[in-house]
Amino acid sequence: MDPKTSSWFAEQHKKALDLWFTEQQTKNMKISLRVKQILHREMTPFQSLAVLDTEQFGPMLTLDNIIQTTVRDEFVYHEMITHVPLNTHAAPKKVLVIGGGDGGAVREIIKHQSIEKAVHCEIDGAVIEASRRFLPEISCALDDPRVEIVVADGIKHVQENKDTYDVIMVDSPDPIGPAVGLFSAEFYKDIFASLKEDGIFVAQTESPFFNRELIPDLVQSIGGIFPVTRLYLAVVPTYPGGLWSFTMGSKKYDPLQVDIAGIPPLDTRYYSPEIHRTCFVLPPFVKELLGSPK
Ligand code: SAM
């Protein structure tokens, strides 16, 4: 290439500005995404927050350099943490999301006609504000009249609200920093007390590949508190290993007993009545992790 042409200069300029975000997903594994633009960066009282526009996944929220959500793959996670429990409950009216400051879970919850109130309890108001400004595709339902935003610690919120909710979703980051308590047996007991007599709880419970000690512990704690405990899976490409787990604790309803033919149509891209059933079908290595027969 002739070094004097403008395309040569444009190419050199692009190379010089070649910007990548890298998350250390495990001690021995990293994921890197090419960044088109840094949309926002700040240090909140709780964590370092960034919104980066990436080539592969579009705008992406990170907290303490860990990917939380991206515009192109968020639908899997948000549909699966919400519609599986909501379609397991007979008539969910009042629901709580703990964490989930991006608003994706709330956007999915209000698709259900039975919902009268969705309380969104996020500890860090800066996550909500940044998501409103830079991730409108995800945060678009935060102003719905059925949504109440509470900027507070979800652990305290459930302690102060007994016998209140039909469904509680714990949309937490990884178990580090302010989120450690969101993975404890004490917290699950408080959630049990915050649910009505037929309430359901679900939490994101990390990767079956890389959290091989955490998952059996969580499932055991939840199983010691709730009569029905089920783990289910979905694929989220930007989370470590891609394969992601959710664990449901239910006082009465069993997601496997749901008549999937009766699930009302929803505007979704990953969740479907068939997925409601098949997401509970576990590969032998996950069954083994849970100590269940293969
Ligand atoms: N889907 C994401 C994932 O699995 O990586 C989680 C995203 S969401 C942005 C997690 C949110 O939980 C963060 O905004 C964080 O501030 C919030 N959070 C952490 N600890 C919390 C607590 N104790 N109470 C309420 N929210 C909390």
Side-chain angles (χ1 to χ4, degrees):
M1 189 187 285
D2 175 357
K4 292 191 182 69
T5 61
S6 59
S7 62
W8 182 86
F9 280 111
E11 188 61 25
Q12 295 309 305
H13 188 65
K14 210 173 139 199
K15 271 189 199 157
L17 290 179
D18 197 15
L19 194 59
W20 288 75
F21 164 85
T22 297
E23 175 187 328
Q24 179 96 39
Q25 290 196 324
T26 73
K27 212 166 80 183
N28 301 306
M29 187 174 83
K30 294 177 177 180
I31 181 175
S32 290
L33 297 174
R34 180 173 268 128
V35 174
K36 275 204 268 193
Q37 201 188 345
I38 299 171
L39 298 173
H40 181 67
R41 279 173 83 179
E42 71 176 290
M43 207 45 223
T44 81
F46 296 94
Q47 49 213 344
S48 79
L49 181 163
V51 187
L52 310 173
D53 192 7
T54 68
E55 292 281 358
Q56 193 71 56
F57 286 101
M60 168 175 88
L61 171 71
T62 68
L63 294 174
D64 291 336
N65 290 330
I66 297 172
I67 299 171
Q68 302 296 308
T69 197
T70 83
V71 162
R72 295 210 188 119
D73 72 352
E74 57 86 15
F75 65 96
V76 180
Y77 177 90
H78 291 127
E79 290 178 12
M80 291 302 281
I81 200 167
T82 54
H83 301 311
V84 178
L86 291 174
N87 282 335
T88 297
H89 196 284
K93 291 191 180 105
K94 190 165 179 183
V95 307
L96 169 68
V97 180
I98 294 176
D102 48 68
V106 164
R107 182 196 63 202
E108 295 304 311
I109 290 166
I110 61 158
K111 288 180 180 172
H112 290 253
Q113 302 232 318
S114 64
I115 297 299
E116 290 170 1
K117 186 158 222 174
V119 177
H120 180 206
C121 180
E122 159 66 54
I123 203 167
D124 190 346
V127 179
I128 301 175
E129 287 323 307
S131 302
R132 279 189 195 279
R133 274 182 71 196
F134 300 105
L135 303 167
E137 304 88 340
I138 305 177
S139 60
C140 52
L142 288 174
D143 292 324
D144 186 280
R146 288 166 291 172
V147 177
E148 182 190 335
I149 297 175
V150 178
V151 176
D153 186 340
I155 297 173
K156 278 209 181 121
H157 183 87
V158 287
Q159 285 166 351
E160 289 163 4
N161 290 275
K162 307 259 186 252
D163 194 18
T164 305
Y165 294 106
D166 298 307
V167 177
I168 297 178
M169 296 145 195
V170 182
D171 182 0
S172 71
D174 297 334
I176 39 176
V180 170
L182 301 179
F183 290 80
S184 72
E186 288 315 306
F187 176 56
Y188 300 144
K189 283 182 196 154
D190 290 335
I191 285 195
F192 187 93
S194 186
L195 285 166
K196 292 187 185 152
E197 60 177 3
D198 58 353
I200 299 178
F201 140 77
V202 69
Q204 72 87 2
T205 46
E206 306 279 311
S207 156
F209 281 103
F210 303 122
N211 302 92
R212 298 181 61 81
E213 281 162 22
L214 178 75
I215 292 177
D217 278 2
L218 295 180
V219 172
Q220 210 182 11
S221 316
I222 296 168
I225 299 164
F226 287 86
V228 182
T229 304
R230 304 269 182 221
L231 182 134
Y232 61 96
L233 300 171
V235 174
V236 186
T238 51
Y239 289 172
L243 188 67
W244 211 246
S245 77
F246 301 82
T247 303
M248 184 190 286
S250 172
K251 292 191 180 183
K252 176 177 165 189
Y253 305 109
D254 186 341
L256 300 183
Q257 300 303 319
V258 169
D259 172 15
I260 60 167
I263 291 180
L266 282 170
D267 179 15
T268 53
R269 293 166 66 209
Y270 187 93
Y271 177 85
S272 69
E274 292 83 4
I275 293 280
H276 187 102
R277 181 62 48 79
T278 56
C279 68
F280 292 95
V281 178
L282 304 179
F285 88 96
V286 179
K287 283 190 182 172
E288 196 180 341
L289 199 63
L290 302 182
S292 322
K294 288 193 212 168

